[in-house]
Amino acid sequence: MALTGIQIFKLLPKTNCKECGEPTCLAFAMKLATQKVALSACPYVSEETKAQLAEATAPPIEVVTIGVGDRACKIGGETVMYRHEKRFENQPGFAVVISDNMAAAEVDGRLERFAQLRYERVGFTLKPQLVAVKCESGNASRFVETVSKVQQNIDGSLILMSPDTEILAAALKVCGDQKPLLYAVTKDNIDQMLVLVKEYPCPVAVKASGLEELSQLTQRLIDAGIKNIVLDSGARTMRQAFEDQVVIRGTALNKKFRALGFPTIVFPCEMTDNPMKEAVIAAVFVAKYGGIIVLSDFQGHSLFPLFVERMNIYTDPQRPLATTEGIYEIGKPDKNSPVLITSNFSLTYFIVSGEISTSKVDSYLLVKDTEGLSVVTAWAAGKLNADSMAAFVKKCGIGDMVSRHRLVIPGYVAAESGELDEQLPDWEILIGPKEGSGIPSYLKTLTS
Ligand code: SF4
């Protein structure tokens, strides 16, 4: 049973020390009750109290991990309906279907695309995480053969799809240690599935015809001590599936209904035969509120936009993407290389470092912590002015790394050059271009 803010407050130290970032213990308790802060933010809560608060602080939607180690796909853990309220926590995983009835060439093609369709964007690797191996043959050995092949060839996690627990058990003998998602518990096989999950403690998906049946099935699993559950309401039209996603999220968050407090799995691949419509449907569930999104196949032209959408929606809207402050070597700079300085807004960093690479002028790039603000915003906020840039240049040690002290500042902060001249008398302050696109031609002027 969830606790109210006042009930939580009674369990806190009540010192109002502010170390959690809140002005009082009461304010912290109120936010904790609505999952807006983590209990770990207060360092003074005793182990006993932590245990008491466990339920109150657990996310209303359980975190479920599919797979193990670096390949694992973590979903759920959401605490809000809308990302502007706080942020969305765990990105949905994209899965591709591979049937054990497919020809070998088709399976190979999908595995190849799974491996190849990955993209670097602003410091993140965007890639698919899951393969859903579907038993359509009804033949356990054939299914196991396909599962083994997929397992050996993917850098990702598995979903095993069969209503037959004997077939699932056969596959689990070869991949049970990889903790695949078992799809699916239904009203017809729940007793056998409970036995199977006891032997192989893997996450399980529950498939039902509607939300009432779904919550009855999940409640049985919860009563049996199973918490790694993924929900499939059974809807196979976009409209119904969309409604179900919203109701599941809302019921779990607002009514604290534990039987629906789990991430979901959705099947755009079973809602249309048109690949373009399938991508559009998938895009809807990236926003609202798919945990795993299963596609019939991966193609770069549809997968990449889905990746970018996912990245944008799961970025914390209250915190700009930021690069770590420091000295970055672009190319192989030496003692004669120029030194540029910029803000730590990730987009700025990747544009500037990319343009320096394009110039083929080996350089040092100083990335100053501006709390993720872009150059102009940081300058206006006093986080990229002469004082802060000079202090950073002095403390970061770049002065010992170059013999010719040339510091190129962004054109947008040219007004700081006079003050910088005074604060860094050993440095020649140069005013670089305003836009990143001007960097290659500018840097070439420094080498001529
Ligand atoms: Fe209270 Fe703990 Fe926050 Fe200090 S850190 S104000 S004790 S909740």
Side-chain angles (χ1 to χ4, degrees):
M1 181 85 180
L3 300 178
T4 65
I6 296 296
Q7 287 169 320
I8 294 172
F9 171 65
K10 287 179 183 162
L11 298 170
L12 292 176
K14 303 185 201 65
T15 59
N16 298 335
C17 70
K18 301 185 178 57
E19 283 187 45
C20 56
E22 301 302 325
T24 61
C25 293
L26 181 60
F28 181 75
M30 290 303 173
K31 286 200 173 174
L32 193 57
T34 53
Q35 319 285 337
K36 290 197 170 112
V37 292
L39 179 60
S40 56
C42 172
Y44 303 111
V45 177
S46 68
E47 290 303 318
E48 192 188 338
T49 304
K50 273 185 197 161
Q52 278 180 278
L53 291 174
E55 189 178 352
T57 58
I61 294 178
E62 203 72 43
V63 176
V64 175
T65 303
I66 298 151
V68 293
D70 294 346
R71 300 171 165 199
C73 177
K74 193 159 88 168
I75 55 174
E78 302 304 335
T79 58
V80 293
M81 293 294 288
Y82 307 104
R83 69 190 282 274
H84 63 260
E85 293 177 86
K86 187 182 169 201
R87 65 171 183 272
F88 290 165
E89 296 289 335
N90 290 302
Q91 298 188 353
F94 289 111
V96 66
V97 175
I98 289 182
S99 161
D100 65 350
N101 262 350
M102 279 177 183
E106 180 62 27
V107 173
D108 291 344
R110 287 174 191 229
L111 291 175
E112 206 174 300
R113 288 190 285 283
F114 185 93
Q116 287 177 351
L117 293 175
R118 49 196 60 205
Y119 309 87
E120 294 296 325
R121 194 174 167 97
V122 290
F124 295 98
T125 303
L126 311 180
K127 60 178 187 177
Q129 298 101 319
L130 297 148
V131 174
V133 189
K134 188 173 188 180
C135 181
E136 290 185 314
S137 67
N139 180 316
S141 356
R142 190 159 177 167
F143 185 58
V144 172
E145 201 181 308
T146 310
V147 168
S148 302
K149 180 172 184 174
V150 170
Q151 184 184 214
Q152 286 159 19
N153 287 284
I154 61 161
D155 167 22
S157 300
L158 289 166
I159 303 171
L160 304 182
M161 298 181 71
S162 172
D164 186 328
T165 50
E166 287 185 13
I167 288 178
L168 290 175
L172 284 168
K173 283 189 184 131
V174 298
C175 69
D177 60 336
Q178 296 301 305
K179 306 287 181 217
L181 174 68
L182 306 181
Y183 182 96
V185 173
T186 64
K187 67 178 172 27
D188 299 323
N189 70 5
I190 187 164
D191 293 324
Q192 299 94 304
M193 284 295 273
L194 282 169
V195 175
L196 186 67
V197 176
K198 203 166 181 188
E199 188 178 354
Y200 295 97
C202 295
V204 285
V206 181
K207 183 184 180 188
S209 301
L211 299 183
E212 195 176 333
E213 183 182 300
L214 188 63
S215 54
Q216 286 165 0
L217 290 172
T218 55
Q219 192 56 55
R220 277 197 64 191
L221 295 179
I222 294 167
D223 293 344
I226 296 168
K227 282 190 171 176
N228 283 326
I229 299 169
V230 176
L231 307 176
D232 176 5
S233 70
R236 293 297 184 267
T237 63
M238 193 188 88
R239 179 178 177 153
Q240 188 58 53
F242 175 82
E243 281 180 17
D244 289 349
Q245 299 306 304
V246 175
V247 172
I248 288 171
R249 173 73 60 99
T251 311
L253 263 55
N254 303 327
K255 300 200 180 338
K256 312 263 184 270
F257 185 52
R258 298 305 293 184
L260 291 180
F262 300 96
T264 63
I265 183 168
V266 287
F267 291 84
C269 60
E270 295 181 15
M271 296 178 194
T272 177
D273 292 329
N274 180 322
M276 198 50 72
K277 272 192 190 165
E278 186 182 316
V280 172
I281 294 168
V284 169
F285 293 120
V286 170
K288 301 264 178 197
Y289 296 112
I292 296 171
I293 299 169
V294 187
L295 301 172
S296 57
D297 198 357
F298 287 156
Q299 297 294 341
H301 59 263
S302 53
L303 197 57
F304 179 68
L306 289 171
F307 283 155
V308 174
E309 181 201 4
R310 180 179 68 175
M311 186 178 77
N312 288 336
I313 287 181
Y314 281 76
T315 299
D316 186 345
Q318 296 169 30
R319 267 185 59 193
L321 287 174
T323 302
T324 308
E325 181 177 90
I327 303 170
Y328 289 77
E329 295 186 4
I330 315 291
K332 291 184 179 160
D334 57 25
K335 284 193 163 292
N336 295 311
S337 298
V339 178
L340 295 89
I341 188 167
T342 191
S343 78
N344 79 330
F345 178 40
S346 280
L347 200 54
T348 301
Y349 166 74
F350 284 101
I351 289 172
V352 172
S353 59
E355 295 293 350
I356 296 173
S357 292
T358 303
S359 76
K360 304 217 183 311
V361 178
D362 298 331
S363 307
Y364 289 104
L365 177 60
L366 303 186
V367 173
K368 163 86 182 67
D369 182 3
T370 56
E371 298 175 11
L373 299 177
S374 65
V375 168
V376 176
T377 317
W379 177 65
K383 295 180 191 303
L384 199 67
N385 57 15
D387 287 345
S388 62
M389 283 191 281
F392 179 50
V393 168
K394 285 175 190 165
K395 87 168 180 202
C396 73
I398 187 68
D400 298 330
M401 295 168 71
V402 288
S403 50
R404 195 168 165 198
H405 290 172
R406 292 177 297 172
L407 180 67
V408 182
I409 63 173
Y412 281 116
V413 300
E416 302 297 317
S417 62
E419 180 67 24
L420 264 177
D421 266 330
E422 285 180 23
Q423 296 206 31
L424 295 173
D426 297 342
W427 287 79
E428 182 185 358
I429 307 300
L430 303 171
I431 298 169
K434 286 185 174 173
E435 303 299 336
S437 57
I439 289 175
S441 54
Y442 173 79
L443 283 179
K444 282 184 182 124
T445 65
L446 298 184
T447 56
S448 54

